[in-house]
Amino acid sequence: GEGCRTVPLAGHVGFDSLPDQLVNKSVSQGFCFNILCVGETGLGKSTLMDTLFNTKFEGEPATHTQPGVQLRSNTYDLQESNVGLKLTIVSTVGFGDQINKEDSYKPIVEFIDAQFEAYLQEELKIRRVLHTYHDSRIHACLYFIAPTGHSLKSLDLVTMKKLDSKVNIIPIIAKSDTISKSELTKFKIKITSELVSNGVQIYQFPTDDESVAEINGTMNAHLPFAVIGSTEEVKIGNKMMKARQYPWGTVQVENEAHCDFVKLREMLIRVNMEDLREQTHTRHYELYRRCKLEEMGFKDTDPDNKPFSLQETYEAKRNEFLGELQKKEEEMRQMFVQRVKEKEAELKEAEKELHEKFDRLKKLHQDEKKKLEDKKKSLDDEVNAFKQRKTAAELLQSQGPQAGGSQTLKRDKEKKKTRERYF
Ligand code: GTP
Ligand code: MG
């Protein structure tokens, strides 16, 4: 490179031990690997994990009556010779069991994102302890395809499409002992073409490292792997082998003529575990981190494409925030003034209405009063007229007594006399 000169060494210096130092350090720290098993209930997820790691991880089988999809995560410490592996197995629970499968992928996406978010938060801490941090990011997603021999379900395509930018997907055909050899070949081709036509990106075993380029290249052509799981050991010849026994014969898990289990184990654990970890960090996590930081307003360059530091971003954001705060305050003040004005006008209107109503009532009252007064007057007049007539009548009576009147008086006297006679 520029300003850099190659110089020979005259004797042994010792930095050729760097690779060994690296190995020793890694070994003493231990490794961590996280697998996500996505697949319908009872497709053999747990059995395959037990078969792959040659142990019995505890775990209850799920029922088909889950109201939604959940994820169950378990972490185990494994030891092989002097290498320690902290293995996390995450399994879907209830996947494919709901009538409406539209949202089934969501809990899976949310889980993967939550692990990225936790790592990002650790990275953003002032005091970070990334070397002791338990990294829970998913390194490999084994996608269990039901051995229908038909085609991928839309649930499978939708889910894989949602996951392919977030995780390394390795599709596998589960329980492949339940499908015939010729059907299996056709099924594999069908799946591959469906994945391609739907633009689903599955994990490709890397071919850039010479030492594994050949085997990885060959294995890429065998995807999706058709696997069989079993923890049952059967004596074949004079060896105990993992197998599934049927009335007509035995299927051997580790026999490459019977299934692709060995290929999966080779690729996932023995050849590409480190690449899966690396891809997770450099591709999937990097994408998550970039989107998240951009969403938060961080940028590497300003609008003129000049470098823009974190400090500058912070200050720009702070000013933007203060400006916005001021604007909000002013808006609120304006709104308050406006509201007061509105209320005032409303009150004035109400007052006016009240006045009008009062005037109307007053007028009504006056009219009524006037009517009553008129009536009283006319009645008074009638009374007076009557009185006048009465006086006139009395006057007439006192002036000239009539014969009819004294006759009545005489008759009364006679009646009285008669009564006295009888008693
Ligand atoms: P859940 O956790 O309940 O969703 O199920 P799972 O996907 O973990 O399936 P599990 O491993 O519990 O297996 C379910 C049933 O399928 C068991 O009876 C297994 O013996 C059987 N099984 C597992 N793997 C295979 C396989 O490769 N072929 C066949 N034929 N049966 C299998
Ligand atoms: Mg299970």
Side-chain angles (χ1 to χ4, degrees):
E2 228 172 88
C4 195
R5 210 152 48 91
T6 308
V7 291
L9 304 176
H12 178 244
V13 177
F15 62 77
D16 59 351
S17 71
L18 261 174
D20 295 332
Q21 292 177 33
L22 194 66
V23 167
N24 290 341
K25 194 176 155 205
S26 296
V27 167
S28 76
Q29 265 178 7
F31 297 86
C32 120
F33 193 66
N34 307 322
I35 302 178
L36 167 65
C37 296
V38 178
E40 291 166 30
T41 308
L43 259 189
K45 302 183 289 297
S46 304
T47 309
L48 189 75
M49 287 302 111
D50 290 353
T51 318
L52 272 174
F53 289 94
N54 226 338
T55 184
K56 175 86 195 86
F57 300 116
E58 64 269 60
E60 302 279 292
T63 63
H64 283 282
T65 54
Q66 294 282 333
V69 178
Q70 288 168 15
L71 285 112
R72 195 188 288 157
S73 171
N74 285 299
T75 301
Y76 311 90
D77 271 318
L78 306 180
Q79 186 79 28
E80 187 167 48
S81 37
N82 66 334
V83 178
L85 181 70
K86 198 186 264 297
L87 176 73
T88 296
I89 299 173
V90 184
S91 236
T92 57
V93 180
F95 188 72
D97 285 334
Q98 293 77 37
I99 291 169
N100 182 357
K101 301 181 179 66
E102 216 170 275
D103 291 341
S104 298
Y105 70 88
K106 275 190 187 156
I108 308 173
V109 168
E110 278 163 18
F111 181 89
I112 295 173
D113 280 348
Q115 314 317 309
F116 284 149
E117 184 61 30
Y119 191 87
L120 180 63
Q121 288 307 320
E122 185 61 35
E123 253 191 0
L124 292 176
K125 271 188 189 168
I126 308 281
R127 288 162 192 255
R128 341 184 264 181
V129 273
L130 282 168
H131 62 284
T132 56
Y133 172 79
H134 177 215
D135 186 359
S136 58
R137 295 172 298 174
I138 299 297
H139 301 117
C141 166
L142 292 182
Y143 195 97
F144 288 66
I145 298 164
T148 61
H150 196 264
S151 60
L152 282 174
K153 298 177 184 180
S154 64
L155 172 66
D156 297 329
L157 283 170
V158 168
T159 308
M160 281 195 259
K161 188 84 198 119
K162 294 283 179 189
L163 296 183
D164 71 356
S165 62
K166 296 183 176 292
V167 70
N168 299 313
I169 301 177
I170 302 175
I172 55 180
I173 299 167
K175 298 189 178 180
S176 65
D177 53 326
T178 62
I179 186 170
S180 79
K181 202 156 187 146
S182 60
E183 275 181 312
L184 187 63
T185 314
K186 278 190 225 149
F187 193 33
K188 274 194 180 188
I189 294 168
K190 179 96 199 215
I191 291 169
T192 309
S193 84
E194 279 182 323
L195 289 177
V196 169
S197 63
N198 284 279
V200 177
Q201 291 284 318
I202 60 168
Y203 173 72
Q204 295 292 305
F205 304 117
T207 48
D208 38 14
D209 176 351
E210 262 173 53
S211 61
V212 291
E214 199 186 321
I215 183 168
N216 278 352
T218 317
M219 290 300 160
N220 278 328
H222 276 97
L223 285 168
F225 293 140
V227 298
I228 297 168
S230 175
T231 43
E232 197 187 328
E233 301 255 337
V234 177
K235 191 159 187 174
I236 291 161
N238 51 6
K239 269 176 84 181
M240 294 302 284
M241 298 203 186
K242 289 202 199 72
R244 297 190 75 87
Q245 273 185 303
Y246 292 100
W248 57 87
T250 304
V251 189
Q252 295 165 32
V253 172
E254 294 173 274
N255 184 332
E256 286 204 59
H258 293 186
C259 75
D260 300 329
F261 173 82
V262 169
K263 294 188 179 75
L264 174 66
R265 187 176 59 196
E266 198 72 11
M267 289 292 99
L268 179 73
I269 302 176
R270 302 185 180 178
V271 179
N272 297 305
M273 195 181 256
E274 185 49 32
D275 186 69
L276 285 159
R277 283 157 38 90
E278 201 183 297
Q279 294 290 324
T280 300
H281 187 71
T282 56
R283 268 191 40 221
H284 303 302
Y285 172 66
E286 206 56 29
L287 180 64
Y288 177 86
R289 183 182 172 278
R290 201 185 75 206
C291 293
K292 200 68 206 237
L293 292 181
E294 278 174 358
E295 210 176 274
M296 286 161 75
F298 293 107
K299 297 178 203 81
D300 288 334
T301 52
D302 67 4
D304 304 326
N305 250 356
K306 292 209 191 78
F308 202 56
S309 73
L310 209 70
Q311 175 79 23
E312 286 168 309
T313 306
Y314 168 74
E315 264 156 29
K317 273 271 146 198
R318 196 179 130 87
N319 286 337
E320 194 182 304
F321 172 75
L322 287 176
E324 240 161 59
L325 201 71
Q326 242 168 19
K327 218 175 94 195
K328 270 260 149 58
E329 250 176 40
E330 180 58 21
E331 263 172 30
M332 269 170 76
R333 214 177 56 78
Q334 295 279 343
M335 201 151 80
F336 180 72
V337 169
Q338 181 65 22
R339 285 290 295 278
V340 167
K341 271 189 192 152
E342 272 169 25
K343 259 273 147 359
E344 246 172 36
E346 255 172 52
L347 281 174
K348 263 195 191 131
E349 186 62 25
E351 198 184 325
K352 205 175 127 208
E353 257 170 45
L354 267 177
H355 271 299
E356 276 170 10
K357 197 170 170 189
F358 176 72
D359 287 345
R360 245 181 294 130
L361 280 175
K362 204 165 133 189
K363 175 125 196 315
L364 212 70
H365 173 72
Q366 277 169 353
D367 289 352
E368 205 67 19
K369 197 173 154 196
K370 174 116 197 330
K371 250 188 245 162
L372 284 174
E373 274 167 6
D374 288 352
K375 191 146 193 176
K376 187 171 174 264
K377 194 160 170 295
S378 83
L379 284 174
D380 282 350
D381 289 351
E382 250 176 77
V383 168
N384 286 339
F386 177 75
K387 272 187 189 156
Q388 269 170 21
R389 262 187 289 149
K390 191 182 163 204
T391 347
E394 275 167 0
L395 203 68
L396 215 71
Q397 211 169 36
S398 64
Q399 273 172 0
Q402 274 175 4
S406 59
Q407 255 174 10
T408 318
L409 213 68
K410 236 189 247 170
R411 225 183 293 144
D412 281 348
K413 272 180 189 164
E414 270 165 27
K415 266 188 197 165
K416 205 176 168 191
K417 267 182 200 159
T418 324
R419 251 182 273 154
E420 273 162 10
R421 244 185 277 142
Y422 279 102
F423 299 101

